[in-house]
Amino acid sequence: MNNSFKTFLKHTAKDFHNQSVNPPVVRASTIIFKSMQHIRKTQAKAQKNPIGGHYDYGRQGTSTTHILQKILTKLEESYHVFTTPTGFGAVFLAIFSVTRPGDEIIITDSVYSPTRILTQDFLKEFNIKAVFYDPHDLKTIEKNITKKTKLIFVENPGSNSFEFQDLGKIISIAKKNKILTAIDNTWATPYYFKPIKFGFDMSIVSATKYYSGHSDVMGGSLAVNKKVFNKVKTAERNTGLRLGPDDAYLITRGLRTLDVRLDRHSENAKKVAEFLSKNKKFKLLYPYKKDSYNFRMWKKYYSGASGLMGLKIKSKNTNSVRKFVNSLKLFGYGYSWGGFESLVLHQEFRETGNRKYLNLAKDEHLVRLHIGLEDPSDLITDINQALKHLK
Ligand SMILES: Cc1ncc(COP(=O)(O)O)c(C=O)c1O
């Protein structure tokens, strides 16, 4: 029977041995073997089949992490998925796996600011150069390609500014120039867009967000194709960047309802976006306006939109923007997103990174909203009362 992925998520990882509908959390540093021959046999199996779940030490994982990797590999339609202790760990693992001193990386200017700091400042100390391209002018990728370029790193949509890029064009530029590609796909998850199937070599998702869905765990996933598998495996082994079994269990539990939650986030976000789009005090940063470039690029590649959106507010009165944000009662003020609850964040300049192509004027402000699973009419009522403060 060829069940859909929605059914797969509900039925996978049952534990018939313990007669439990969920897998056990296998916590282990030492993994016990019956004999020396047994350990050698397991190691030989692991060498022959490195994605088969054969472990000789807890740092490599246990059955709990293996089950999560199997589910994610199916969701991503990838060759394999590595799981890391945080989403940012997956960003680092992707870049570190394929770059060496003297190499260059070309990165979306609108990338998540810690990724910018990692590549622009930290990797510079290792003689790896990062060049940033304009997400709406892909000629800035082509212009910056040199013999040293090893990787094009994309984040779509842009962090806080929500630009949608022409992903097909990026893949064809990369293939033509024989450059590897990675994408941070946390906003959509492979439920709405499958990067590996599309042609990317690596795809990152912060599992902290929609995969877990309950704001109580951190984790990351790095999906890969066969071409880069060995490089990433080597880097993973040499850095010990692996997710622990308790966190793997919580993420597996969250994944059971990924489709249900994302469908609802999307439905709620659409209702809130319709309300917000009528207001002239700001520009809504969400794929809703059919005649816009961002909408067309989203529609071309994505089967849905998640619950994260932005507002670009023009106001000389910064205090009124703060008052608007602080007056929201159902939107908690805090970092992260992808959980069941609504959140808001006023992006200070340093949080958007030192961007070249953001074009944010002094009197423009970025506010990020995560639309949660509350009743959308309550969220709209809340935003409506808070908007009175915006001057
Ligand atoms: C787009 C994106 N990528 C990666 C990360 C990093 O994930 P984590 O917080 O799990 O390290 C974040 C976190 O906010 C993010 O928004």
Side-chain angles (χ1 to χ4, degrees), residues 200-212:
F200 281 91
D201 297 296
M202 295 181 278
S203 172
I204 295 137
V205 174
S206 164
T208 310
K209 315 289 191 272
Y210 289 116
Y211 280 179
S212 87

Side-chain angles (χ1 to χ4, degrees), residues 23-185:
V25 182
V26 177
R27 300 183 184 93
S29 51
T30 299
I31 293 170
I32 296 286
F33 293 87
K34 291 183 203 107
S35 62
M36 190 183 158
Q37 286 84 343
H38 187 197
I39 204 170
R40 293 285 176 258
K41 248 191 198 165
T42 304
Q43 287 165 341
K45 278 187 196 162
Q47 274 235 312
K48 223 173 147 185
N49 178 13
I51 57 174
H54 307 290
Y55 307 120
D56 65 9
Y57 185 51
R59 192 168 62 229
Q60 295 161 12
T62 68
S63 61
T64 316
T65 38
H66 185 58
I67 279 167
L68 173 61
Q69 287 176 292
K70 268 173 59 178
I71 295 172
L72 292 178
T73 302
K74 179 133 180 166
L75 175 59
E76 290 272 10
E77 297 189 37
S78 61
Y79 181 68
H80 186 60
V81 170
F82 295 89
T83 52
T84 52
T86 63
F88 194 53
V91 171
F92 175 77
L93 185 61
I95 297 171
F96 184 76
S97 298
V98 299
T99 52
R100 291 296 173 268
D103 289 346
E104 294 179 5
I105 319 167
I106 300 180
I107 310 186
T108 317
D109 186 59
S110 51
V111 81
Y112 173 55
S113 69
T115 304
R116 185 174 194 112
I117 295 162
L118 164 71
T119 49
Q120 176 184 272
D121 304 333
F122 187 66
L123 290 184
K124 197 172 156 193
E125 294 179 24
F126 298 84
N127 192 24
I128 294 167
K129 186 180 166 193
V131 188
F132 295 87
Y133 73 88
D134 182 347
H136 279 170
D137 178 9
L138 301 184
K139 284 195 198 87
T140 55
I141 297 185
E142 287 177 297
K143 261 194 235 160
N144 283 302
I145 291 175
T146 72
K147 280 191 182 126
K148 295 175 180 174
T149 309
K150 281 284 147 52
L151 177 69
I152 297 174
F153 189 101
V154 181
E155 183 171 324
N156 211 43
S159 184
N160 298 310
S161 43
F162 298 91
E163 303 91 342
F164 282 86
Q165 305 177 47
D166 192 338
L167 299 177
K169 223 175 206 170
I170 295 174
I171 293 295
S172 68
I173 294 170
K175 292 219 154 107
K176 196 173 105 195
N177 291 281
K178 297 191 171 55
I179 298 168
L180 294 173
T181 46
I183 182 168
D184 187 328
N185 190 36

Side-chain angles (χ1 to χ4, degrees), residues 14-20:
K14 283 180 184 163
D15 177 23
F16 290 102
H17 179 72
N18 292 304
Q19 297 185 296
S20 156

Side-chain angles (χ1 to χ4, degrees), residues 83-371:
T83 52
T84 52
T86 63
F88 194 53
V91 171
F92 175 77
L93 185 61
I95 297 171
F96 184 76
S97 298
V98 299
T99 52
R100 291 296 173 268
D103 289 346
E104 294 179 5
I105 319 167
I106 300 180
I107 310 186
T108 317
D109 186 59
S110 51
V111 81
Y112 173 55
S113 69
T115 304
R116 185 174 194 112
I117 295 162
L118 164 71
T119 49
Q120 176 184 272
D121 304 333
F122 187 66
L123 290 184
K124 197 172 156 193
E125 294 179 24
F126 298 84
N127 192 24
I128 294 167
K129 186 180 166 193
V131 188
F132 295 87
Y133 73 88
D134 182 347
H136 279 170
D137 178 9
L138 301 184
K139 284 195 198 87
T140 55
I141 297 185
E142 287 177 297
K143 261 194 235 160
N144 283 302
I145 291 175
T146 72
K147 280 191 182 126
K148 295 175 180 174
T149 309
K150 281 284 147 52
L151 177 69
I152 297 174
F153 189 101
V154 181
E155 183 171 324
N156 211 43
S159 184
N160 298 310
S161 43
F162 298 91
E163 303 91 342
F164 282 86
Q165 305 177 47
D166 192 338
L167 299 177
K169 223 175 206 170
I170 295 174
I171 293 295
S172 68
I173 294 170
K175 292 219 154 107
K176 196 173 105 195
N177 291 281
K178 297 191 171 55
I179 298 168
L180 294 173
T181 46
I183 182 168
D184 187 328
N185 190 36
T186 303
W187 182 85
T189 84
Y191 183 59
Y192 288 142
F193 173 64
K194 294 189 193 299
I196 303 294
K197 205 174 153 199
F198 186 75
F200 281 91
D201 297 296
M202 295 181 278
S203 172
I204 295 137
V205 174
S206 164
T208 310
K209 315 289 191 272
Y210 289 116
Y211 280 179
S212 87
H214 291 77
S215 310
D216 54 0
V217 60
M218 299 206 68
S221 83
L222 173 58
V224 298
N225 62 14
K226 205 168 174 183
K227 188 161 113 194
V228 296
F229 171 78
N230 280 332
K231 279 183 191 293
V232 181
K233 181 82 196 153
T234 305
E236 186 221 29
R237 190 184 307 120
N238 285 296
T239 54
L241 269 172
R242 253 197 173 271
L243 187 69
D246 286 284
D247 295 338
Y249 177 82
L250 285 174
I251 294 165
T252 301
R253 185 168 76 167
L255 281 170
R256 300 279 199 212
T257 54
L258 178 73
D259 53 322
V260 182
R261 286 184 289 104
L262 264 175
D263 285 345
R264 183 58 71 88
H265 279 291
S266 187
E267 203 182 302
N268 286 2
K270 207 170 161 198
K271 286 183 181 153
V272 173
E274 266 161 23
F275 164 76
L276 290 170
S277 66
K278 294 187 187 103
N279 197 309
K280 298 277 179 292
K281 289 182 183 163
F282 44 75
K283 185 177 169 207
L284 176 60
L285 309 173
Y286 193 68
Y288 78 100
K289 212 173 161 190
K290 291 195 171 48
D291 59 352
S292 71
Y293 179 82
N294 282 332
F295 181 88
R296 287 200 306 279
M297 287 304 118
W298 166 75
K299 190 83 190 151
K300 194 167 172 187
Y301 300 113
Y302 291 77
S303 63
S306 70
L308 196 70
M309 60 177 67
L311 304 177
K312 192 178 186 183
I313 302 170
K314 202 171 171 63
S315 168
K316 287 200 167 69
N317 188 340
T318 305
N319 272 342
S320 84
V321 181
R322 290 192 184 131
K323 217 162 174 190
F324 158 60
V325 162
N326 290 339
S327 309
L328 289 163
K329 294 188 171 62
L330 295 176
F331 290 74
Y333 196 92
Y335 290 115
S336 204
W337 45 281
F340 54 87
E341 78 287 20
S342 289
L343 293 169
V344 64
L345 212 53
H346 178 209
Q347 299 293 336
E348 304 282 347
F349 187 69
R350 66 177 177 84
E351 283 166 329
T352 55
N354 184 23
R355 292 201 203 168
K356 201 169 158 189
Y357 303 103
L358 182 58
N359 301 328
L360 199 66
K362 268 211 154 45
D363 58 352
E364 285 180 324
H365 308 260
L366 286 179
V367 168
R368 190 179 78 182
L369 294 174
H370 179 248
I371 307 304

